[in-house]
Amino acid sequence: MSRFQLNLLTLCVAFVVITLGAFVRLSDAGLGCPDWPGCYGHLDVPTEAADVAAANARFSDRPVEAPKAWKEMIHRYAAGALGLLILFMALAALRRSDDPHQQRVLPWVLLALVIFQALLGMWTVTLLLKPLIVTAHLLGGMATFALLGWCLFRAGPLFAGWATTARRGLRVAAAAALVLLVGQIFLGAWTSTNYAALACPDFPTCQTHWWPPTDFSTAFTLWHGLGINYEYGILESTPRATIHWTHRLGAVVIAIVMLALAAALWRAGRVDGRWRGLAGTLVTALALQIALGISVVEFHLPLSVAVAHNGGAALLLLTLVAINHAVWSARRHV
């Protein structure tokens, strides 16, 4: 297997891990296994009557629920496979090569990140779904996905060396869009981990208000202390609505910025038509993500749509990583 194929496979597995993580979280299976890294002291889910009885005695406040436990363990298996693939990428980076695109440092950064992700996964369980930890875990998964995408794009000429007359402007716009998207992903994660997805059950209003009552201080208090079970959330209605409403406002800002970026890419297509392909991809990914976000509210958080909304965020992030790679490696047309 070539380095490019290994990188592509690892990127695909990372996407699977992100969607599985969303599935586990949104189906309330985050504490399906109350210990880590095993499940009730096993490497799989206990199924024998004696094992289940022993597990229930040991974890009396969290009896075995096999469907939830299997969801969590499958996610852990997939995350472990991702970690091994990233380890293989790091080891491959040690080999000497005359390839100027060979990554030597970034695979090791990814390995450190995935190890930290494992720690966050452990703390997610041991700290009882603390929103700050779960949000950091989701952001770490997205960062891993984005960096794998950057590695992949740097490994070949797919988005490199395109001609443009507005290189500086495109770089500023693409970087700004990426930073804002990271902020929006944080807001989405904060909405999910505080169980605020249906805090505004109507659209486009929130609890029938165009600007609902808000409590930003409570809504964005990052640390509520230890020893609290955060499953199903601890916030009252107003802070949850504040989180949800802020996420919606962020979506409006993101949409405006990304449409402006798409317009700039379209104009750059006068010199090199490939920019218009990126512009179309960006608009498509943005439209899909907005439609999924609205559907989450209108159809009252169907699991499949909510998971797809998380996957859509990852694909939108990958699109912006590709755009940033293209504009930062573009050549100036004279």
Side-chain angles (χ1 to χ4, degrees):
M1 181 182 292
S2 69
R3 291 188 180 95
F4 181 85
Q5 291 171 329
L6 175 60
N7 197 157
L8 180 60
L9 173 62
T10 308
L11 180 71
C12 293
V13 173
F15 183 76
V16 171
V17 171
I18 287 172
T19 53
L20 281 175
F23 179 69
V24 169
R25 184 176 68 257
L26 292 163
S27 59
D28 301 319
L31 293 179
C33 296
D35 50 341
W36 190 94
C39 190
Y40 294 95
H42 295 257
L43 292 178
D44 59 1
V45 178
T47 55
E48 298 294 332
D51 293 335
V52 171
N56 289 340
R58 181 181 175 188
F59 299 95
S60 57
D61 59 334
R62 186 67 62 175
V64 175
E65 294 182 70
K68 288 187 176 182
W70 273 117
K71 291 175 186 177
E72 174 62 13
M73 286 308 294
I74 290 171
H75 177 234
R76 292 183 189 180
Y77 296 151
L82 175 61
L84 287 175
L85 287 170
I86 290 176
L87 174 61
F88 293 153
M89 284 182 60
L91 294 176
L94 295 176
R95 300 177 184 173
R96 292 189 175 274
S97 172
D98 295 330
D99 184 358
H101 302 293
Q102 170 62 43
Q103 300 295 303
R104 300 199 179 279
V105 176
L106 197 49
W108 290 96
V109 173
L110 277 163
L111 183 61
L113 180 58
V114 82
I115 291 172
F116 184 59
Q117 274 291 91
L119 291 174
L120 288 172
M122 176 184 69
W123 294 331
T124 292
V125 175
T126 59
L127 298 181
L128 304 175
L129 303 182
K130 187 168 181 58
L132 181 61
I133 299 299
V134 181
T135 297
H137 193 40
L138 188 150
L139 291 175
M142 290 291 188
T144 301
F145 186 64
L147 290 175
L148 283 168
W150 187 264
C151 273
L152 185 71
F153 300 143
R154 287 201 62 184
L158 183 61
F159 296 111
W162 296 5
T164 177
T165 57
R167 188 171 57 179
R168 182 176 180 182
L170 283 177
R171 287 177 176 179
V172 172
L178 182 59
V179 170
L180 288 173
L181 180 60
V182 170
Q184 180 67 356
I185 290 173
F186 165 79
L187 288 174
W190 197 244
T191 300
S192 178
T193 57
N194 282 282
Y195 298 86
L198 291 180
C200 296
D202 46 328
F203 182 87
T205 55
C206 177
Q207 298 181 357
T208 72
H209 298 281
W210 286 104
W211 191 279
T214 56
D215 181 359
F216 286 95
S217 176
T218 304
F220 292 97
T221 296
L222 299 180
W223 190 265
H224 289 279
L226 300 174
I228 302 171
N229 187 345
Y230 292 92
E231 191 172 24
Y232 306 115
I234 64 170
L235 298 181
E236 300 295 332
S237 174
T238 298
R240 293 193 199 208
T242 302
I243 294 170
H244 185 118
W245 187 245
T246 305
H247 183 47
R248 285 196 195 179
L249 294 178
V252 173
V253 173
I254 283 290
I256 293 171
V257 171
M258 290 195 179
L259 288 174
L261 174 59
L265 292 169
W266 189 264
R267 288 193 298 270
R270 297 169 185 168
V271 176
D272 190 327
R274 290 175 291 184
W275 293 110
R276 292 187 173 177
L278 273 182
T281 301
L282 177 60
V283 171
T284 301
L286 176 64
L288 175 63
Q289 188 65 349
I290 291 173
L292 288 170
I294 294 172
S295 298
V296 165
V297 176
E298 288 292 316
F299 297 108
H300 304 293
L301 198 63
L303 181 59
S304 59
V305 176
V307 171
H309 192 46
N310 281 260
L315 294 178
L316 189 55
L317 177 62
L318 186 64
T319 301
L320 275 179
V321 170
I323 290 171
N324 271 272
H325 181 269
V327 300
W328 283 91
S329 61
R331 58 183 177 85
R332 186 167 182 81
H333 179 76
V334 292

